[in-house]
Amino acid sequence: MTSIACGIDIGGSGVKGARVDLETGEFIGDRIRIETPQPATPDAVAEVCRELLEGLGVSANVPVGVAFPAPIVHGTVPFIANLDGSWAGIDVNELMLRHLGREVTALNDADAAGLAEVAFGAAKGVPGTVIVTTLGTGIGSAIIVDGTLVPNTELGHLEIDGYDAEKRASSGQREQQELSWKKWAKRLQRYYSHVEMLFSPDLFVVGGGISKKHEKFLPRLDLKTPIVPAQLLNTAGIVGAAYQASREQQR
């Protein structure tokens, strides 16, 4: 693997990028953030990515990974919720090659965060099946088996008790419904017990901004599987995208 790669994390409000030291998972120099253009069309977002790479001074031989708020199936966006609808059907690799003059590795943002936790964070050195969940407005998920990503899992959309899981158990729902930590933990218990039954993982990692308050809810959960807070937090998307880009370049 190369020792340096660049990660770009595309979000609904901002596009962030940094060069990453792949020995440590830490940023090299500053992170750059540019507001997501409105409307966030493919060409407009790709131009912002080009600006980021120029601002970061990323040379042509440095691998570039792009974390994206949608599934990425063989480089293509099948559907999109958080950016402009014109992204549906777009080949991200072809788009970025046209605007950046270089190939990139595109992946789902939850998958990028999961890979970062396995490579550098809370799941580093853990063998077997690791499930990383991101509790935010919805529930993002990543499944990594002995270092290999199972891409585009949407475990936040499991149907549990007749509900879309994230409509009951996300951090966003806790705030919206003004749930106490105890009531929310009961919903998390139902969710994680179900996922545990389906996959029998070796470790759960819980990310998202709410994981900073993990002591309020994680100790209330009763699972066979160890469950721990994420370590990388808001750097995970960039770090995971850079890490995966470096791995893809070696193949």
Side-chain angles (χ1 to χ4, degrees):
M1 225 170 43
T2 56
S3 59
I4 297 173
C6 177
I8 296 174
D9 191 0
I10 297 172
S13 60
V15 182
K16 299 161 288 187
R19 293 185 302 147
V20 177
D21 181 336
L22 297 175
E23 296 291 326
T24 64
E26 296 176 349
F27 291 170
I28 299 170
D30 293 331
R31 184 195 75 162
I32 294 179
R33 182 185 185 277
I34 299 175
E35 294 287 317
T36 302
Q38 301 300 329
T41 61
D43 286 333
V45 171
E47 276 301 300
V48 168
C49 292
R50 184 184 60 77
E51 287 180 46
L52 273 179
L53 291 183
E54 288 182 356
L56 291 166
V58 179
S59 59
N61 63 328
V62 172
V64 175
V66 179
F68 201 78
I72 302 288
V73 181
H74 303 300
T76 298
V77 181
F79 59 86
I80 187 83
N82 296 333
L83 297 177
D84 193 79
S86 59
W87 278 94
I90 289 291
D91 183 324
V92 178
N93 297 316
E94 186 278 328
L95 171 76
M96 295 298 177
L97 180 61
R98 183 155 40 86
H99 282 266
L100 310 182
R102 65 198 299 160
E103 292 186 351
V104 304
T105 297
L107 70 164
N108 171 261
D109 54 4
D111 286 343
L115 284 169
E117 290 296 334
V118 168
F120 304 106
K124 184 176 181 180
V126 176
T129 301
V130 175
I131 296 181
V132 181
T133 54
T134 305
L135 300 176
T137 305
I139 299 177
S141 65
I143 300 177
I144 298 100
V145 183
D146 289 325
T148 298
L149 174 70
V150 181
N152 301 313
T153 57
E154 292 283 351
L155 301 186
H157 295 298
L158 286 170
E159 184 178 316
I160 302 175
D161 301 330
Y163 293 93
D164 191 61
E166 66 179 26
K167 293 291 192 282
R168 298 270 294 165
S170 72
S171 172
Q173 288 299 310
R174 183 191 74 85
E175 294 176 4
Q176 191 174 319
Q177 299 183 38
E178 299 181 343
L179 299 173
S180 67
W181 292 108
K182 185 177 180 180
K183 286 184 177 178
W184 186 50
K186 284 185 178 179
R187 296 188 180 191
L188 290 177
Q189 177 70 48
R190 182 74 185 95
Y191 175 68
Y192 284 109
S193 292
H194 189 71
V195 176
E196 182 178 59
M197 179 271 294
L198 291 174
F199 294 96
S200 300
D202 295 282
L203 179 68
F204 283 119
V205 178
V206 179
I210 198 70
S211 65
K212 294 177 184 176
K213 299 180 180 179
H214 60 88
E215 72 284 351
K216 302 277 192 182
F217 60 94
L218 287 188
R220 298 176 186 268
L221 303 183
D222 182 16
L223 300 164
K224 298 182 184 71
T225 306
I227 185 165
V228 299
Q231 291 180 3
L232 275 75
L233 300 177
N234 61 354
T235 69
I238 291 172
V239 172
Y243 172 73
Q244 185 71 346
S246 179
R247 293 209 301 178
E248 287 291 328
Q249 190 180 80
Q250 301 304 308
R251 290 178 182 172

